[in-house]
Amino acid sequence: MTHMPSAEGVLYIVATPLGNLADLSERAREMLASVDWIYAEDTRHSLSLLQHLGIHKPLRALHAHNEAGLEAAIIRELQQGRQMALISDAGTPLISDPGFGIVRAARDAGLTVTPIPGPCALITALMASGLPCDQFLFHGFLPAKSQARIHVLQDYVEAAYTQVFYEAPHRIIATVTDFITCFGTTRPAILARELTKRFESWIGQTLGDILIYLEQHPDEVRGEMVLIVGGLSLKASDAAAISSEVQRQYHILRAELPLKQAVKLTAQLCQISKNTLYDWALSQDENKEE
Ligand code: SAM
């Protein structure tokens, strides 16, 4: 059901800079200056941003540990006509940050939630990564333990799209090592560090490069990081998997069946990756049409 904006209060979800304060939008500044109060993940941290902007508004804490408990009160305040903003420590609220429960509850109550867009580490990293941005998957943070991390990664080894991960500096070497275990050293990848800040840097072209660089430059294993990993392309994949025998089987089936079914059956018969075969089969069909 679609709710029309109500005459009640408004919850503004406001993106704030990742590091460079000049990235705060004019609209964000205006909204923060106009609301009744601001919910912030860490009020001490946000106080310095607001002081810098010359904005003096009451700050209230909203973080992972109190979010659920605040839900009912925030909805009541909105119903009473209050205007409030939600910000996180940096970037876009709700993206690996608190706020989802409140937005969900406000929407369920038919209240107005207005986004004030701005910086977000995943988009900032992706758009300058040199890796395809037309299709991507954002994972946020992977599990902290290696075994659980590998378990997750194994499901995405054959994904053809770009994948974006947040990671903490104290885990990055272990995480890149796990990526290499699953994706191999040659998979295209780039590590974006300290985006929009003075020491912004970009490391590597492949997973192997990133690991070598980090091991050789322990002083740079710090700061905030986004890891971007390219999708599996047919070139990078095990082209040998499409052996002449596999091709023969596929062509026999393709003569009788639609492409998807022919791929599925060939993959089952030959016990090879359906995704790899599918990419190859598509290229066969495209070549035929030319
Ligand atoms: N909501 C934020 C956003 O819009 O990107 C992300 C919050 S999440 C708790 C923090 C993680 O975002 C960091 O561990 C890092 O992976 C990434 N991040 C935040 N700021 C960054 C920056 N300036 N450079 C690189 N990565 C950053």
Side-chain angles (χ1 to χ4, degrees), residues 2-286:
T2 310
H3 295 285
M4 296 301 290
S6 67
E8 290 154 324
V10 180
L11 173 63
Y12 294 99
I13 310 296
V14 184
T16 58
L18 294 170
N20 189 326
L21 295 185
D23 289 338
L24 187 88
S25 75
E26 199 46 48
R27 188 167 170 230
R29 184 189 296 262
E30 277 169 21
M31 286 308 162
L32 291 175
S34 73
V35 291
D36 293 311
W37 55 76
I38 299 168
Y39 280 101
E41 201 182 348
D42 176 340
T43 50
R44 276 211 329 222
H45 176 96
S46 294
L47 187 62
S48 54
L49 169 74
L50 295 177
Q51 276 173 346
H52 173 88
L53 299 170
I55 293 173
H56 305 286
K57 286 285 164 182
L59 274 169
R60 295 178 176 183
L62 186 148
H63 43 70
H65 306 294
N66 71 354
E67 184 178 355
L70 284 176
E71 225 171 85
I74 292 180
I75 297 304
R76 232 182 359 262
E77 289 162 355
L78 287 166
Q79 284 165 338
Q80 288 163 358
R82 300 300 192 171
Q83 313 272 310
M84 59 192 84
L86 171 68
I87 60 176
S88 60
D89 285 353
T92 299
L94 276 80
I95 304 300
S96 295
D97 268 340
F100 173 72
I102 302 297
V103 172
R104 186 65 266 161
R107 288 246 167 248
D108 287 346
L111 295 159
T112 304
V113 182
T114 300
I116 311 295
C120 180
L122 87 98
I123 298 297
T124 308
L126 184 63
M127 68 189 184
S129 67
L131 290 165
C133 306
D134 46 352
Q135 271 196 314
F136 66 89
L137 180 70
F138 172 57
H139 289 258
F141 291 96
L142 286 165
K145 295 226 158 60
S146 177
Q147 204 183 1
R149 204 155 49 218
I150 288 181
H151 189 69
V152 172
L153 291 179
Q154 277 165 344
D155 282 346
Y156 295 95
V157 171
E158 294 197 344
Y161 43 77
T162 301
Q163 301 183 58
V164 186
F165 303 83
Y166 286 166
E167 192 48 286
H170 65 277
R171 271 201 291 267
I172 190 68
I173 289 187
T175 295
V176 174
T177 304
D178 290 343
F179 267 95
I180 288 174
T181 303
C182 299
F183 290 61
T185 49
T186 58
R187 178 68 72 97
I190 191 162
L191 186 70
R193 275 187 62 234
E194 296 288 85
L195 290 163
T196 77
K197 301 185 195 175
R198 184 157 166 229
F199 295 108
E200 174 176 318
S201 63
W202 297 80
I203 297 171
Q205 292 193 320
T206 64
L207 287 169
D209 290 348
I210 296 174
L211 185 59
I212 291 170
Y213 188 92
L214 293 175
E215 284 177 342
Q216 290 177 350
H217 299 84
D219 51 321
E220 291 187 42
V221 187
R222 63 163 87 141
E224 308 216 68
M225 308 175 165
V226 181
L227 177 65
I228 309 201
V229 179
L232 184 72
S233 69
L234 188 58
K235 269 185 260 112
S237 73
D238 186 4
I242 320 289
S243 65
S244 52
E245 179 53 22
V246 173
Q247 294 185 26
R248 196 182 67 79
Q249 296 255 16
Y250 170 77
H251 285 302
I252 295 170
L253 291 168
R254 180 71 181 100
E256 306 294 331
L257 297 170
L259 183 138
K260 270 192 179 166
Q261 259 178 289
V263 166
K264 194 175 161 201
L265 282 176
T266 313
Q268 277 171 1
L269 285 169
C270 303
Q271 297 197 328
I272 70 160
S273 148
K274 202 169 69 183
N275 290 346
T276 305
L277 185 62
Y278 186 71
D279 287 345
W280 172 83
L282 277 182
S283 70
Q284 295 296 295
D285 268 28
E286 279 161 15

